[in-house]
Amino acid sequence: MSDIVFPKLHFSGNRLSGGLIDRLARRLGDLGDIFSDRAAYARMPADQVVYEVESYFPVPDGTEGGVFLGITYIHPGKVGQEYFMTKGHFHQIRNRAEVYICMEGEGMLILMNEDHSVTWAERMEPGSVHYINGHTAHRTANTGKGVLSFGAFWPSDAGHDYQTISEKGFSKILVDINGVPTLINKP
Ligand code: S6P
Ligand code: ZN
């Protein structure tokens, strides 16, 4: 299999091209269970795009030994005081790690341990590199006024467990308190 030639991709600063790129958009209507302020959520348009992801999957999902990559673009905004953010997940194979590299904007990488007892956050700014250890749930929030974009690189057999986060969430949420992104216990 080592003789397969993979295309060289190109990242323009706001778009990935050159290969078979998978594109998805997550709208408020797709994210009903992640935001805490239900009344604020109900007042917002369901078709508003919260984030977009461009991914490159050079090998079939589940292949051991490959690497996937994705660029995530989170738009600025809040639901109530909670910043626009990704759904968040554990990897299906829990010990699979991941690396994020922030390219544009301001944000926070929110992390939670496997038994949900500890949630913490790392600040993202252009050039910041984040190693996400296995067994750690991860989600990102845009705390700035422009788009937050970052690259992600993860093993092709990692898989995604969204169900656990959908049912239990993270133990803390990231909210704007007087202009300062602050982690607080989930109401
Ligand atoms: C994949 C990696 C990212 C996220 C993306 C969207 O392992 O962590 O590419 O998929 O940031 O987040 P989510 O939680 O909706 O997949
Ligand atoms: Zn991941």
Side-chain angles (χ1 to χ4, degrees):
M1 295 297 276
S2 59
D3 56 350
I4 298 174
V5 176
F6 292 93
K8 181 175 145 191
L9 304 186
H10 185 73
F11 180 63
S12 69
N14 60 12
R15 193 169 173 86
L16 187 61
S17 62
L20 198 57
I21 306 299
D22 181 271
R23 296 191 163 81
L24 69 81
R26 295 263 183 246
R27 297 167 192 276
L28 277 171
D30 304 319
L31 301 171
D33 50 7
I34 69 169
F35 293 105
S36 291
D37 187 336
R38 309 306 307 162
Y41 176 79
R43 288 192 296 269
M44 296 181 71
D47 63 353
Q48 184 170 349
V49 175
V50 176
Y51 62 98
E52 296 164 77
V53 187
E54 296 182 316
S55 302
Y56 177 54
F57 304 123
V59 295
D61 192 15
T63 302
E64 188 183 328
V67 176
F68 288 158
L69 75 93
I71 315 283
T72 302
Y73 309 87
I74 310 181
H75 295 275
K78 284 182 279 189
V79 175
Q81 292 307 110
E82 194 171 14
Y83 298 97
F84 275 10
M85 62 183 176
T86 58
K87 288 165 75 158
H89 56 267
F90 284 100
H91 290 154
Q92 195 73 45
I93 301 182
R94 287 290 194 271
N95 70 5
R96 297 302 194 255
E98 182 158 6
V99 173
Y100 281 1
I101 298 181
C102 181
M103 294 176 301
E104 182 184 24
E106 291 170 36
M108 293 287 247
L109 167 60
I110 305 167
L111 301 158
M112 181 177 68
N113 68 347
E114 200 168 5
D115 69 9
H116 298 221
S117 59
V118 187
T119 295
W120 69 104
E122 296 178 1
R123 199 179 136 68
M124 301 175 82
E125 72 273 320
S128 65
V129 180
H130 307 264
Y131 180 74
I132 302 168
N133 205 8
H135 302 272
T136 307
H138 41 288
R139 97 167 0 140
T140 43
N142 184 346
T143 59
K145 292 187 177 5
V147 170
L148 171 72
S149 66
F150 61 91
F153 308 86
W154 69 99
S156 50
D157 64 352
H160 293 90
D161 170 11
Y162 291 104
Q163 189 68 24
T164 302
I165 298 303
S166 166
E167 288 168 2
K168 299 185 185 162
F170 280 61
S171 53
K172 293 186 186 228
I173 62 171
L174 187 73
V175 292
D176 177 342
I177 297 185
N178 300 324
V180 180
T182 309
L183 269 186
I184 61 168
N185 288 330
K186 202 163 58 159

